[in-house]
Coordinates of all heavy atoms in Angstrom, one line a residue:
S119 N -35.4 8.9 -14.0 CA -34.0 8.9 -13.6 C -33.9 8.5 -12.2 O -34.9 8.5 -11.4 CB -33.5 10.4 -13.8 OG -34.2 11.2 -12.8
P120 N -32.7 8.0 -11.7 CA -32.5 7.7 -10.3 C -33.0 8.8 -9.4 O -33.6 8.5 -8.3 CB -31.0 7.4 -10.2 CG -30.6 7.0 -11.6 CD -31.5 7.8 -12.5
A121 N -32.7 10.0 -9.7 CA -33.1 11.2 -8.8 C -34.6 11.3 -8.7 O -35.1 11.6 -7.7 CB -32.5 12.5 -9.3
S122 N -35.3 11.0 -9.8 CA -36.8 11.1 -9.8 C -37.4 10.0 -9.0 O -38.4 10.1 -8.4 CB -37.3 11.1 -11.3 OG -37.2 12.3 -11.9
V123 N -36.7 8.8 -9.1 CA -37.2 7.7 -8.3 C -37.0 8.0 -6.8 O -37.9 7.8 -6.0 CB -36.5 6.4 -8.7 CG1 -36.9 5.3 -7.7 CG2 -36.8 6.0 -10.1
H124 N -35.9 8.6 -6.5 CA -35.6 8.9 -5.1 C -36.7 9.9 -4.6 O -37.3 9.7 -3.5 CB -34.2 9.5 -5.0 CG -33.9 10.1 -3.6 ND1 -33.7 9.3 -2.5 CD2 -33.9 11.3 -3.1 CE1 -33.5 10.0 -1.4 NE2 -33.6 11.3 -1.8
S125 N -36.9 11.0 -5.4 CA -37.8 12.0 -4.9 C -39.3 11.5 -4.9 O -40.1 11.9 -4.1 CB -37.7 13.3 -5.8 OG -38.0 13.0 -7.1
L126 N -39.6 10.5 -5.8 CA -40.9 10.0 -5.8 C -41.3 9.3 -4.5 O -42.3 9.5 -3.9 CB -41.0 8.9 -6.9 CG -42.3 8.1 -7.0 CD1 -43.5 9.0 -7.4 CD2 -42.2 6.9 -7.9
G127 N -40.3 8.7 -3.9 CA -40.5 8.0 -2.6 C -40.8 9.1 -1.5 O -41.7 8.9 -0.8
L128 N -40.1 10.2 -1.6 CA -40.3 11.3 -0.6 C -41.7 12.0 -0.9 O -42.3 12.6 0.0 CB -39.2 12.3 -0.7 CG -37.8 11.8 -0.3 CD1 -36.8 13.0 -0.6 CD2 -37.7 11.4 1.1
Q129 N -42.1 11.9 -2.1 CA -43.4 12.7 -2.5 C -44.6 11.8 -2.4 O -45.7 12.3 -2.7 CB -43.2 13.1 -4.0 CG -42.2 14.2 -4.2 CD -41.6 14.3 -5.5 OE1 -41.7 13.4 -6.4 NE2 -40.8 15.4 -5.8
G130 N -44.5 10.6 -1.9 CA -45.7 9.8 -1.6 C -45.8 8.6 -2.5 O -46.8 7.9 -2.4
G131 N -45.0 8.4 -3.5 CA -45.0 7.3 -4.4 C -46.2 7.4 -5.4 O -46.8 8.5 -5.5
P132 N -46.4 6.3 -6.2 CA -47.5 6.4 -7.2 C -48.8 6.7 -6.5 O -49.1 6.2 -5.4 CB -47.5 5.0 -7.8 CG -46.1 4.4 -7.5 CD -45.7 5.1 -6.2
M133 N -49.8 7.3 -7.2 CA -51.1 7.6 -6.7 C -51.9 6.3 -6.5 O -51.7 5.4 -7.2 CB -51.9 8.5 -7.6 CG -51.5 10.0 -7.6 SD -52.6 10.9 -8.7 CE -52.0 12.6 -8.3
S134 N -52.8 6.3 -5.5 CA -53.7 5.2 -5.3 C -54.8 5.4 -6.4 O -54.9 6.4 -7.1 CB -54.3 5.3 -3.9 OG -55.1 6.5 -3.9
G135 N -55.6 4.4 -6.6 CA -56.7 4.4 -7.6 C -57.6 5.7 -7.4 O -57.8 6.5 -8.3
P136 N -58.1 5.9 -6.2 CA -59.0 7.0 -6.0 C -58.3 8.4 -6.2 O -58.9 9.3 -6.7 CB -59.4 6.9 -4.5 CG -59.3 5.4 -4.2 CD -58.1 4.9 -5.0
E137 N -57.0 8.4 -5.8 CA -56.3 9.7 -6.0 C -56.1 10.0 -7.5 O -56.3 11.1 -7.9 CB -54.8 9.5 -5.4 CG -54.7 9.8 -3.9 CD -53.3 9.6 -3.4 OE1 -52.6 8.6 -3.8 OE2 -52.8 10.5 -2.7
A138 N -55.8 8.9 -8.2 CA -55.6 9.1 -9.7 C -56.9 9.5 -10.3 O -56.9 10.3 -11.2 CB -55.0 7.8 -10.3
D139 N -58.0 8.9 -9.9 CA -59.3 9.2 -10.5 C -59.6 10.7 -10.2 O -60.1 11.4 -11.1 CB -60.5 8.4 -9.8 CG -60.4 6.9 -10.3 OD1 -59.7 6.6 -11.3 OD2 -61.0 6.1 -9.6
R140 N -59.3 11.1 -9.0 CA -59.6 12.5 -8.7 C -58.7 13.5 -9.5 O -59.2 14.5 -10.0 CB -59.4 12.7 -7.2 CG -59.9 14.0 -6.6 CD -60.1 14.0 -5.0 NE -59.6 12.8 -4.4 CZ -58.5 12.8 -3.7 NH1 -57.7 13.9 -3.6 NH2 -58.1 11.7 -3.0
F141 N -57.5 13.1 -9.6 CA -56.5 14.0 -10.3 C -57.0 14.1 -11.8 O -56.9 15.2 -12.4 CB -55.1 13.4 -10.3 CG -54.0 14.3 -10.8 CD1 -53.8 15.5 -10.1 CD2 -53.3 14.0 -11.9 CE1 -52.8 16.3 -10.6 CE2 -52.3 14.8 -12.4 CZ -52.0 16.0 -11.7
E142 N -57.4 13.0 -12.4 CA -57.9 13.1 -13.8 C -59.0 14.0 -14.0 O -59.2 14.5 -15.1 CB -58.3 11.7 -14.3 CG -57.1 10.8 -14.6 CD -57.6 9.4 -14.9 OE1 -58.6 9.2 -15.5 OE2 -56.9 8.5 -14.4
S143 N -59.9 14.2 -13.0 CA -61.0 15.0 -13.2 C -60.8 16.5 -12.9 O -61.7 17.3 -13.1 CB -62.1 14.5 -12.2 OG -61.8 14.8 -10.9
M144 N -59.5 16.8 -12.6 CA -59.2 18.2 -12.3 C -59.1 19.0 -13.6 O -58.6 18.5 -14.6 CB -57.9 18.4 -11.5 CG -58.0 17.9 -10.1 SD -56.4 17.9 -9.3 CE -56.1 19.7 -9.2
P145 N -59.5 20.3 -13.7 CA -59.4 21.0 -14.9 C -58.0 21.2 -15.4 O -57.8 21.2 -16.6 CB -60.0 22.4 -14.5 CG -60.6 22.3 -13.2 CD -60.1 21.0 -12.6
G146 N -57.1 21.2 -14.5 CA -55.6 21.4 -15.0 C -54.9 20.2 -15.3 O -53.7 20.2 -15.6
F147 N -55.6 19.1 -15.4 CA -55.0 17.7 -15.6 C -54.1 17.7 -16.9 O -52.9 17.3 -16.8 CB -56.1 16.7 -15.7 CG -55.5 15.3 -16.1 CD1 -54.8 14.6 -15.2 CD2 -55.8 14.8 -17.3 CE1 -54.3 13.3 -15.6 CE2 -55.4 13.5 -17.7 CZ -54.6 12.8 -16.8
A148 N -54.7 18.1 -18.0 CA -53.9 17.9 -19.3 C -52.6 18.8 -19.3 O -51.6 18.3 -19.7 CB -54.8 18.3 -20.5
D149 N -52.7 20.0 -18.8 CA -51.6 20.9 -18.8 C -50.5 20.3 -17.8 O -49.3 20.3 -18.2 CB -51.9 22.3 -18.3 CG -52.4 23.2 -19.4 OD1 -52.6 22.7 -20.5 OD2 -52.7 24.4 -19.1
A150 N -50.9 19.8 -16.7 CA -50.0 19.2 -15.7 C -49.2 18.0 -16.3 O -48.0 17.8 -16.2 CB -50.7 18.8 -14.5
I151 N -50.0 17.1 -17.1 CA -49.3 16.0 -17.7 C -48.4 16.4 -18.8 O -47.2 15.9 -18.9 CB -50.4 15.0 -18.2 CG1 -51.2 14.4 -17.0 CG2 -49.7 13.8 -18.9 CD1 -50.5 13.7 -16.0
A152 N -48.8 17.3 -19.6 CA -47.9 17.8 -20.7 C -46.6 18.3 -20.1 O -45.5 18.0 -20.6 CB -48.7 18.9 -21.5
L153 N -46.7 19.2 -19.1 CA -45.5 19.7 -18.4 C -44.6 18.6 -17.9 O -43.4 18.6 -18.1 CB -46.0 20.7 -17.3 CG -44.8 21.2 -16.4 CD1 -43.6 21.7 -17.1 CD2 -45.4 22.3 -15.5
R154 N -45.2 17.7 -17.2 CA -44.4 16.6 -16.6 C -43.6 15.8 -17.7 O -42.5 15.4 -17.5 CB -45.3 15.6 -15.9 CG -44.6 14.5 -15.2 CD -43.8 15.1 -14.0 NE -42.5 14.5 -13.9 CZ -41.7 14.9 -12.9 NH1 -42.1 15.7 -12.0 NH2 -40.5 14.3 -12.8
L155 N -44.2 15.6 -18.9 CA -43.6 14.8 -19.9 C -42.4 15.6 -20.5 O -41.3 15.1 -20.8 CB -44.6 14.4 -21.0 CG -45.6 13.4 -20.4 CD1 -46.7 13.1 -21.5 CD2 -45.0 12.1 -20.0
W156 N -42.5 16.9 -20.6 CA -41.4 17.8 -21.1 C -40.3 17.8 -20.0 O -39.1 17.7 -20.3 CB -41.8 19.2 -21.4 CG -42.8 19.3 -22.5 CD1 -42.8 18.6 -23.6 CD2 -44.0 20.1 -22.5 NE1 -43.9 18.9 -24.4 CE2 -44.6 19.9 -23.8 CE3 -44.6 21.1 -21.7 CZ2 -45.8 20.5 -24.2 CZ3 -45.7 21.8 -22.1 CH2 -46.3 21.5 -23.3
D157 N -40.8 17.8 -18.7 CA -39.8 17.8 -17.6 C -38.9 16.5 -17.7 O -37.7 16.6 -17.5 CB -40.6 17.7 -16.3 CG -39.8 17.8 -15.1 OD1 -38.6 18.1 -15.2 OD2 -40.4 17.7 -14.0

Side-chain angles (χ1 to χ4, degrees):
S119 66
S122 279
V123 172
H124 174 75
S125 59
L126 175 69
L128 298 175
Q129 290 155 348
M133 282 184 174
S134 66
E137 278 180 311
D139 289 343
R140 192 159 8 101
F141 191 65
E142 279 171 43
S143 68
M144 291 175 65
F147 171 72
D149 276 2
I151 297 298
L153 169 49
R154 183 71 222 183
L155 295 174
W156 297 321
D157 186 7

